[in-house]
Amino acid sequence: VTVFAVRGITNNGKKSACAADKKTLEVAAESYMATNGAYPADVATMVSSGLLQDASTGNWTYAGPAAGSTNYTITAVAGGPCV
């Protein structure tokens, strides 16, 4: 019984960490938009603007808007725990 309880706690911890990592990217992108009037092209832009500490996005990838679009994309890394 204890093994199942611990496994559930671990899974909840991973889910929470995944959600927090994704939210960090979302907040940084939205903050950049509020300041600059456009979404950042990449993570490096958010780092150089002081919105992220480093370019490591954990288990997520960020893609800035494609030409003619105003939407960015955050995607879980294939094979990672956030999929």
Side-chain angles (χ1 to χ4, degrees), residues 46-64:
M46 291 185 273
V47 172
S48 66
S49 297
L51 297 169
L52 291 175
Q53 186 173 14
D54 60 48
S56 172
T57 58
N59 298 303
W60 300 95
T61 59
Y62 171 88

Side-chain angles (χ1 to χ4, degrees), residues 18-37:
C18 286
D21 288 346
K22 184 177 181 186
K23 189 66 173 178
T24 297
L25 279 174
E26 290 172 347
V27 168
E30 295 299 332
S31 294
Y32 187 91
M33 171 60 150
T35 302
N36 298 289

